[in-house]
């Protein structure tokens, strides 16, 4: 009892937080990452290492079973919380720590609810659940499954939904622990090898929120890949919000769009660096991202962005780790309807992250928000301050300037084309490289679930 009390007290003082983001929760995720960094609270990559589970973003009923499985895999003492807006994050974390500390003098099951004001989570259950099992209706007792139109689907420990047990066969067998039995199929060389169905997502660490990729593996090689359906949403994507406002006729300064685009590229870079195993530079990229979003001046951000560009862009280790992975030529990207950095990079993962860095630095240089004087304009140095005419503020044209993932042509979010390329880039890749391919392309699931919008300008 003394050791348990000591461990609970240590966890309550500096809890490890499993941050789970639902589609549409990008702003909440950014606020949570910044708050956790300010508090010096560690994050957990898996449920097994978490004390608090913070769900950031709006409710998504389609992903409820995956959230419940994450909760079931979190050891006690534990607290589950939800923050639907960025303003809710600090209060939710305070409540979580208080409830975790309250378990010191309670039974082992206490502190499970982590319920905060306005939230409907109780004992690990989401809205619409009944009973005390923590499962959604239609799940078998103790089975950990959810019923779908395609058959019986299994939710993994990472919160992912498994392909039908036994793959494409009828009445497939299960191995101990509920793992799917491998099939036998021919590989590319005509050899008969085991074939296993594996799903990645939707709540892996440093993974696009809500994205699900179903893989068919033979050995460690991806033979087939397909995307799962996105969770429906009604809010506009966080990173493309300036373009959405400009499309509705609102005057948006070009500097504001450049600031948001640079922050988006650094967010993508931070995810890739974390997946590649370089957490120190991932934190650096995210700090600069947060400073940009908090409207730090260009002179305070540019030197740090240039240092990051030199250190990451010239890293031989990172280049060797990602070289030749996810190769996409500019011609193939254009043919698939892809625009933005992925199309302009015209290469593999190193080409794309170097493009992110270069574009971010260029955007930071645009943060003064002033138009460039033409050759016929008077020399500003020849005018006195009283006679100097005001320089007009450059405005965003949503049809001319790219959003972080590319152009919104005919109301089609650019991440639709990016996500459509994932199966093609994953097939033939090793499983160890699959997450690098996804992080190196980084489609935005918020755009996949966004309502169709015609970006026609003001």
């Amino acid at each position: 009892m003394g050791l348990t009390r000591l461990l609970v007290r240590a966890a309550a003082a500096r809890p490890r937080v499993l941050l789970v983001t639902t589609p549409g929760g990008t702003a909440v995720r950014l606020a949570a990452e910044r708050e956790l960094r300010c508090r010096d609270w560690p994050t957990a990559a898996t449920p097994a290492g978490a004390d608090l589970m913070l769900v950031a973003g709006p409710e998504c009923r389609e992903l409820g079973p995956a959230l419940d499985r994450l909760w079931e895999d979190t050891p006690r003492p534990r607290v589950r919380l939800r923050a639907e807006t960025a303003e809710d994050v600090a209060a939710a974390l305070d409540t979580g720590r208080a409830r975790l500390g309250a378990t010191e003098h309670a039974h082992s099951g206490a502190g499970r609810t982590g319920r905060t004001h306005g939230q409907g989570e109780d004992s690990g259950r989401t809205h619409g659940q009944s009973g005390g099992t923590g499962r959604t209706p239609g799940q078998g007792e103790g089975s950990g499954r959810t019923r779908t139109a395609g058959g019986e689907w299994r939710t993994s420990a990472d919160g992912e939904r498994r392909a039908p047990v036994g793959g494409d066969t009828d009445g497939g067998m299960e191995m101990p622990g509920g793992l799917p039995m491998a099939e036998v199929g021919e590989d590319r060389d005509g050899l008969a090898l085991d074939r296993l169905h594996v799903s990645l997502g939707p709540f892996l660490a440093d993974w696009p929120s809500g994205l699900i990729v179903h893989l068919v593996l033979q050995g460690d090689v991806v033979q087939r890949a397909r995307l799962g359906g996105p969770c429906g949403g009604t809010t506009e994507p966080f990173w493309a919000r300036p373009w959405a406002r400009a499309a509705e006729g609102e005057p948006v300064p070009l500097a504001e769009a450049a600031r948001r685009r640079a922050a988006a590229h650094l967010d993508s870079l931070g995810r890739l660096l974390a997946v590649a195993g370089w957490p120190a530079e991932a934190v650096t990229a995210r700090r600069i991202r947060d400073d940009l979003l908090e409207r730090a001046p260009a002179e305070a951000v540019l030197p740090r962005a240039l240092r990051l560009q030199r250190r990451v862009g010239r890293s031989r280790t990172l280049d060797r780790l990602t070289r030749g992975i996810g190769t996409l030529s500019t011609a193939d990207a254009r043919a698939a309807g892809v625009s933005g950095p992925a199309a302009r990079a015209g290469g593999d993962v190193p080409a794309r992250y170097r493009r992110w860095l270069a574009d971010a630095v260029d955007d930071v240089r645009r943060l003064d928000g002033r138009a460039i004087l033409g050759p016929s304009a008077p020399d500003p140095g020849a005018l006195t301050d009283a006679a100097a005419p005001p320089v007009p503020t450059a405005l965003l044209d949503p049809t001319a300037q790219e959003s972080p993932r590319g152009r919104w042509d005919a109301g089609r979010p650019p991440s639709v084309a990016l996500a459509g390329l994932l199966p093609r880039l994953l097939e033939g890749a090793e499983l160890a490289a699959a997450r690098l391919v996804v992080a190196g392309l980084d489609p935005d699931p918020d755009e996949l679930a966004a309502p169709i919008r015609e970006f026609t300008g003001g």
Side-chain angles (χ1 to χ4, degrees), residues 97-111:
R97 181 168 63 175
R99 291 185 178 273
L100 188 64
T103 62
E104 180 180 351
H105 302 291
H107 295 291
S108 60

Side-chain angles (χ1 to χ4, degrees), residues 298-332:
E299 56 269 20
V301 176
L302 184 57
R304 297 161 58 204
L306 288 171
R307 284 196 298 270
L308 180 68
Q309 183 185 27
R310 289 192 297 268
R311 183 165 174 79
V312 174
R314 297 176 183 177
S315 171
R316 296 181 180 180
T317 301
L318 182 62
D319 180 82
R320 285 195 297 268
L321 177 66
T322 56
R323 186 186 306 161
I325 295 177
T327 302
L328 176 67
S329 68
T330 298
D332 290 342

Side-chain angles (χ1 to χ4, degrees), residues 130-162:
S130 58
T133 63
R135 303 187 184 279
T136 56
Q139 288 180 300
E141 182 69 20
S143 68
R145 303 173 191 162
T146 56
R147 178 71 64 180
T148 68
E152 196 76 10
W153 293 74
R154 180 168 300 281
T155 306
S156 76
D158 290 320
E160 62 201 26
R161 292 193 306 171
R162 294 291 187 189

Side-chain angles (χ1 to χ4, degrees), residues 250-273:
E250 179 181 345
V252 178
L254 185 59
E256 180 181 342
R259 185 180 291 274
R260 184 67 61 98
R261 186 167 52 203
H265 293 331
L266 292 172
D267 184 63
S268 298
L269 180 67
R271 181 177 292 116
L272 174 64
L273 293 175

Side-chain angles (χ1 to χ4, degrees), residues 144-156 160-175 178-183 195-200 212-217 224 226-228:
R145 303 173 191 162
T146 56
R147 178 71 64 180
T148 68
E152 196 76 10
W153 293 74
R154 180 168 300 281
T155 306
S156 76
E160 62 201 26
R161 292 193 306 171
R162 294 291 187 189
V165 176
D168 300 329
T169 60
D170 294 329
M173 297 177 60
E174 296 182 12
M175 295 179 66
L179 297 175
M181 178 77 76
E183 301 173 344
R195 185 171 59 188
L196 184 65
H197 295 254
V198 176
S199 297
L200 300 180
I212 305 174
V213 181
H214 303 293
L215 305 177
V216 177
L217 300 176
R224 293 200 305 271
R226 66 181 179 86
L227 298 180

Side-chain angles (χ1 to χ4, degrees), residues 109-131:
R112 291 179 57 188
T113 63
R115 186 171 181 174
T116 60
H117 178 68
Q119 298 177 9
E121 307 209 339
D122 186 20
S123 300
R125 297 195 297 272
T126 56
H127 297 289
Q129 291 179 306
S130 58

Side-chain angles (χ1 to χ4, degrees), residues 17-106:
V17 180
L18 178 66
L19 180 58
V20 181
T21 309
T22 58
T26 299
V28 189
R29 170 179 66 85
L30 296 174
E33 289 178 355
R34 183 168 56 250
E35 184 70 20
L36 291 173
R37 205 164 49 241
C38 292
R39 296 180 182 221
D40 194 26
W41 288 10
T43 58
T46 64
D51 304 306
L52 304 180
M53 175 177 162
L54 176 61
V55 182
E59 182 181 0
C60 180
R61 293 187 180 275
E62 295 92 328
L63 300 179
L67 287 172
D68 291 339
R69 185 57 185 266
L70 283 178
W71 176 244
E72 291 171 1
D73 291 340
T74 305
R76 296 181 178 89
R78 59 185 182 176
V79 176
R80 178 174 175 176
L81 306 153
R82 177 181 290 277
E84 295 192 0
T85 66
E87 292 74 18
D88 296 337
V89 170
L93 292 176
D94 289 339
T95 300
R97 181 168 63 175
R99 291 185 178 273
L100 188 64
T103 62
E104 180 180 351
H105 302 291

